[in-house]
Structures are given as C-alpha cells and as structure tokens.
C-alpha cells in the first residue's frame, strides 16, 4: 500500500488581537475556525520588541475543560496558579497545563531584551476528561530532546515521536505531536502522522513548501494525490506567520526553501464532540458553561488540585 502525503487544505494568516490586560498578539486560529482544527482550539503567536505590547500580561483568570500549552521561543513569562505552582517559563521552555475541572492562573511576560516571542496553543479535552483533576507540566528547555540530523537539521520533540525519540509530554488524551523543526536549505522533512488525526504547521522563520511538492527552483512536479491544484500551478513557498492545516493522509512532507526554514508541527486525535466556548472555558454544552460561571460566582470553581511534574 502506498503512502499518501498530506496536502495543505487551508492556510491561515491570523488576526491582530488584544488579549489579557492588553497584550498585542496574532491569533492564528480560534473560535471562528471550530471545528476545522479539532482537537486544537486556538493558536496565539506573540512576538514584539516593544514591552508596551506585552507587559500588561494575563492577570488572574480561570480555565476549565482545556489544556493550554505555552512555548517560549525567546524571553520569560512569570506564572502562578491555584495549584500552588509558581515560576518562570524561560526561552525554550514549555508549560503544558491541563485545566480540567478548573484552574485559576496568571501569565505575566517579563521585560525582555530584544524580541519576546512564543506561542500558546489550546488543546481540547475530551468530554470524559473535562472535569478531571487539574494538572501541570513545567518542561524546561534542557529536558526537551533535540534530534540532530547529519544535514544540520534540528528537531525538538515536545510531544510525540521523531526518529524514535519520544518527547517528555506524554499521556495526553488527544495523543498529540508537537515538534519544533529547523531545516537547512533545500532539505526534506518527512513524518508519519496517524490517519484521521488533525495536523498543522506553523511557519516561524524562512520558507518551505509545506505540501511536499518540488524543491524551489526545480520546476513543477506532479500533482499531489488528493490535491485539486493542477501540475505547474504551484504557489510560492510559504513564509513566516502562516498556519497550514493539512488534509488527511499518512504523512507530511515539507521541503525547506532557499533560506532554510523553522516551523512548529502539531497533530492530534480529533474529538468530534460539540464545543461550547466561553472565553477561557470550553465545554460540550451551554449548561456546562452556565455551571462554570455559577461556580466562579460562588467561589467553587477550583475543586481540587494535584501537582504533576513528571520531568
Ligand atoms: Mn491562561
């Protein structure tokens, strides 16, 4: 049986958004894209050299029913939560927080020399995990394995697996893959992704052909299986600030452009459940949202706590 390379189904350029107490960021996808990226709900990209764009931060706020995944590329974000965790997410660190039945936390970017940049991804929890005990994984940069290729490529494995190397974030309900990939000029990246799972790429630097078609300057290749694009009508390579949603298939294939490329690759098992979304709370029904708001008013939002710090 031959392998089907996934084609790019849709490209998102994101929207400038003001979040928290006034943080300027780019929302690559969110509420209005549901359920396209199921089980992923939202991807925010923050990046600024002007502290006025981020210092207001995200003061104390609740979450329920989701996981929030913060990946700092450069800079520091102080955090504190109702589980009793308190610390700093530093350059290269990942915070994978499962809000479960309810957590209160704050996320406050610190004044950074140069550009403060990173991503926050929201991963949905399945119905039977939405009210589980909140947990927290603080993964330091040094605990994220870095796979070096002979061609100079570097792959940081946050979750999932690349060439037999398994990331430190495990036992997440949607079986996620989350990689930070840097490829040299004109090289090719290939990764099997489970059929039926949702996959997306987020370009960070440089350019690439995310649909795996011909290397830049090589002329047009054949039409990809499942692609409605005629041979010879290939688009220019995609640059930074784009999110690409893949169609179904067995694997993704990405060819770096003439300056190399850095991108995030995410994948996970879709839930196919109804989504009731109110700000930082995402449940299955409106009744569950009403219950969450009642719990907030009555001071019963945070039910129990347990600290999970596996690495
Ligand atoms: Mn938050």
């Amino acid at each position: 049986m031959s392998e089907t390379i996934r084609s790019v189904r849709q490209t998102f350029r994101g929207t400038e958004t003001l979040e928290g107490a006034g943080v300027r960021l780019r929302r690559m996808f969110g509420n209005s894209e549901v359920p396209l990226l199921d089980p992923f709900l939202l991807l925010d990209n923050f990046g600024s050299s002007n502290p006025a764009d981020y210092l207001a931060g995200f003061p104390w706020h609740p979450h329920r029913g989701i996981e929030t995944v913060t990946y700092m590329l450069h800079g520091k974000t102080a955090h504190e939560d109702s589980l009793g965790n308190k610390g700093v997410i530093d350059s290269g660190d990942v915070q994978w927080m499962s809000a479960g039945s309810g957590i209160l936390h704050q996320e406050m970017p610190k004044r950074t020399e140069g550009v403060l940049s990173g991503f926050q991804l929201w991963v949905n929890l399945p119905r039977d995990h939405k009210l589980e005990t909140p947990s927290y994984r603080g993964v330091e940069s040094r605990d994220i394995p870095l796979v070096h290729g002979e061609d100079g490529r570097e792959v940081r494995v946050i979750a999932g697996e690349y060439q037999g190397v398994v990331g430190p974030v495990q036992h997440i309900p949607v079986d996620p893959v989350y990689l930070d990939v840097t490829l040299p000029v004109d090289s090719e990246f290939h990764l099997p992704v489970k059929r039926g799972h949702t996959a997306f790429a987020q370009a960070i630097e440089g350019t690439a052909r995310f649909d795996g078609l011909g290397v830049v300057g090589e002329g047009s290749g054949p039409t990809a299986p499942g692609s409605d694009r005629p041979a010879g009508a290939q688009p220019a390579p995609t640059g930074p600030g784009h999110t690409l949603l893949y169609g179904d298939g067995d694997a993704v294939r990405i060819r770096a452009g003439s300056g190399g490329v850095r991108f995030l690759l995410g994948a996970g098992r879709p839930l196919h459940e109804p989504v009731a979304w109110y700000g930082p709370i995402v449940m299955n029904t409106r009744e569950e949202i009403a219950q969450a708001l009642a719990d907030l008013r009555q001071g019963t939002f945070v039910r129990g706590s347990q600290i999970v710090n596996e690495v």
Side-chain angles (χ1 to χ4, degrees), residues 51 92 95-96 128 179 184 196 225-226 238 298 306:
Q95 183 197 72
W96 197 296
D128 55 354
L179 308 179
T238 303
Q298 291 157 15
Q306 179 193 351

Side-chain angles (χ1 to χ4, degrees), residues 42 61-71 94-100 103 105 107 119-125 135-137 280:
L42 173 149
H61 59 276
H63 287 289
R64 177 180 284 181
I66 59 169
E67 306 192 272
T68 66
V69 180
T70 306
Y71 182 28
V94 171
Q95 183 197 72
W96 197 296
M97 197 269 292
S98 179
I103 196 169
H105 76 163
E107 304 153 283
F119 291 90
Q120 187 168 88
L121 175 68
W122 290 12
V123 183
N124 207 356
L125 283 168
S135 64
Y136 166 91
R137 291 171 171 84

Side-chain angles (χ1 to χ4, degrees), residues 10-278:
Q10 202 164 333
T11 301
F12 305 94
R13 300 205 59 178
T15 311
E16 293 292 340
T17 308
L18 215 51
E19 259 305 340
V23 177
R24 219 173 271 281
L25 52 79
R26 180 167 284 271
R27 179 146 300 158
M28 302 309 301
F29 59 82
N31 206 336
S32 30
E33 280 70 39
V34 169
L36 261 186
L37 288 110
D38 180 18
F40 304 107
L41 293 165
L42 173 149
L43 181 64
D44 280 346
N45 181 193
F46 45 96
S48 175
S49 54
N50 178 8
D53 286 342
Y54 58 78
L55 279 181
F58 306 86
W60 290 99
H61 59 276
H63 287 289
R64 177 180 284 181
I66 59 169
E67 306 192 272
T68 66
V69 180
T70 306
Y71 182 28
M72 290 302 294
L73 297 184
H74 186 253
K76 295 176 175 20
T77 293
H79 74 91
E80 196 173 345
D81 67 37
S82 52
L83 301 179
N85 299 297
K86 188 174 180 173
V88 171
I89 313 168
D90 209 337
S91 302
D93 295 351
V94 171
Q95 183 197 72
W96 197 296
M97 197 269 292
S98 179
S101 60
I103 196 169
L104 296 169
H105 76 163
Q106 61 173 348
E107 304 153 283
M108 304 300 286
K110 293 163 84 91
R111 186 177 291 274
T112 297
E113 199 61 44
V115 176
L116 176 121
S117 62
F119 291 90
Q120 187 168 88
L121 175 68
W122 290 12
V123 183
N124 207 356
L125 283 168
R127 191 191 312 266
D128 55 354
H129 287 262
K130 280 190 180 293
L131 293 181
E132 73 186 1
T133 305
S135 64
Y136 166 91
R137 291 171 171 84
V139 186
E140 291 185 26
S141 184
R142 62 165 182 261
D143 294 319
I144 298 172
L146 179 61
V147 180
H148 290 274
E150 283 177 8
D151 62 0
R153 74 182 53 200
E154 295 188 339
V155 180
R156 304 190 81 211
V157 186
I158 297 163
E161 183 178 337
Y162 177 70
Q163 294 188 345
V165 176
V166 177
V169 178
Q170 297 172 18
H171 312 298
I172 302 294
V174 302
D175 190 16
V177 172
Y178 203 33
L179 308 179
D180 176 353
V181 181
T182 303
L183 299 179
V185 179
D186 289 341
S187 62
E188 183 176 297
F189 175 85
H190 175 275
L191 185 79
V193 176
K194 285 177 187 160
R195 203 165 247 283
H197 283 208
T198 302
F200 72 89
Q202 168 69 42
I204 301 175
E205 284 173 37
T207 61
R209 291 296 305 272
F210 285 90
D211 52 13
L213 297 179
V215 173
V216 186
E218 205 181 54
S220 44
T223 305
S227 167
D228 52 7
R229 202 182 305 114
Q234 297 175 14
T238 303
H242 292 73
T243 302
L244 304 104
L245 171 64
Y246 284 99
D248 204 5
D250 303 306
V252 297
R253 192 166 67 196
I254 294 160
R255 294 191 182 209
S258 53
V261 68
R262 182 181 184 188
F263 61 91
L264 297 177
L265 186 73
R269 177 176 63 85
L271 301 179
H272 304 300
E273 292 179 6
V275 171
W277 186 333
Y278 183 90

